[in-house]
Amino acid sequence: MLPHGKTVALLVTIAALFSTQGIRTESPRLASDPVSACYADSLKNTERLAEIACLAGPFAKQTLRAAQKAHISAKLVAAVMQVESGARPNAARLVSPAGAVGPMQLMPATAWHVLHVNPWNTQQNIDGGAKYLAFLLQEFRGDEHLALMAYDAGPTVIAQGLRPKVAVAYAHRVLRLVGSV
C-alpha cells in the first residue's frame, strides 16, 4: 500500500490523464474519509486546469493568473483566447487583418492607452484581455453575451443598441466553448 501523499499524487496524475483524454471521472463523495476528500479537491482542481489547458493551450497558467487578477472566470478568458487566436503557440506574434495583436487579439491603441499593457508581451496581452473583459462585464452589468459582443465589435456599438451579426456569432462561439449555451 502506498503512503497517503503518494496515493493522492497517483490519483491526481490518473485524473489528469483521464481529463486530457476526454474521459469523465466522478469524484468520491465520502466526506468522512480525509483521503477521499483530498482526492476530490485535487481532482476538481486538475479537471479545471485540464479544461483551461484545452482552451488556452500553452497559455493555460498565464490565463489562470490573468483571470484571477481580473476576478473573472478563467474558462471565459480561455474561451475568448481560443476564438480570437486558437491559442496557438505562435499567437504572441499573431496580427489580424484589422491590426489586433497577440493571443487575446487586442487592438494596440486600446492595449497601450486604455489597458496600459504592451500587446506584444504575451503575459501583458493576456492580462490586458482579461482586464478588458472584466471591464466589459461590469459595463454591461454581468451580461456575458453583451460583454462578448462588445469585446468583438467595440463597447460603443453595443451600448448604442446595435447588434452586428458577426459580433452575435462571436459571442455565441465563445459561450458555446464556456458551456453557457
Side-chain angles (χ1 to χ4, degrees):
M1 177 154 219
L2 293 171
H4 168 66
K6 291 191 181 204
T7 303
V8 172
L10 178 62
L11 292 172
V12 170
T13 303
I14 291 168
L17 289 171
F18 282 166
S19 295
T20 59
Q21 298 297 320
I23 300 170
R24 299 297 299 162
T25 57
E26 294 297 320
S27 55
R29 303 278 185 238
L30 304 172
S32 61
D33 180 7
V35 174
S36 295
C38 182
Y39 166 74
D41 290 344
S42 297
L43 182 59
K44 183 179 174 185
N45 290 338
T46 302
E47 286 178 344
R48 182 171 176 252
L49 184 58
E51 277 184 331
I52 303 307
C54 184
L55 293 170
F59 308 110
K61 286 182 181 173
Q62 293 164 303
T63 301
L64 282 168
R65 239 178 287 138
Q68 189 174 25
K69 280 199 300 194
H71 306 288
I72 60 172
S73 162
K75 194 169 180 183
L76 183 62
V77 176
V80 167
M81 183 186 303
Q82 179 60 232
V83 171
E84 288 290 348
S85 67
R88 292 185 293 269
N90 69 337
R93 296 181 305 277
L94 206 65
V95 180
S96 76
V101 176
M104 296 297 285
Q105 288 292 282
L106 299 176
M107 292 303 285
T110 302
W112 289 110
H113 303 296
V114 177
L115 302 169
H116 308 289
V117 297
N118 177 353
W120 296 101
N121 176 295
T122 304
Q123 183 63 60
Q124 289 185 35
N125 186 287
I126 297 168
D127 286 344
K131 184 177 174 181
Y132 189 51
L133 197 51
F135 164 77
L136 293 171
L137 284 165
Q138 186 176 13
E139 196 69 17
F140 292 98
R141 295 190 169 93
D143 187 322
E144 288 181 344
H145 201 256
L146 291 176
L148 290 166
M149 285 192 291
Y151 193 97
D152 184 64
T156 306
V157 171
I158 302 306
Q160 290 173 344
L162 302 173
R163 303 294 183 262
K165 286 182 182 179
V166 174
V168 171
Y170 170 86
H172 221 46
R173 278 196 331 257
V174 173
L175 290 173
R176 210 171 314 125
L177 288 173
V178 172
S180 297
V181 176

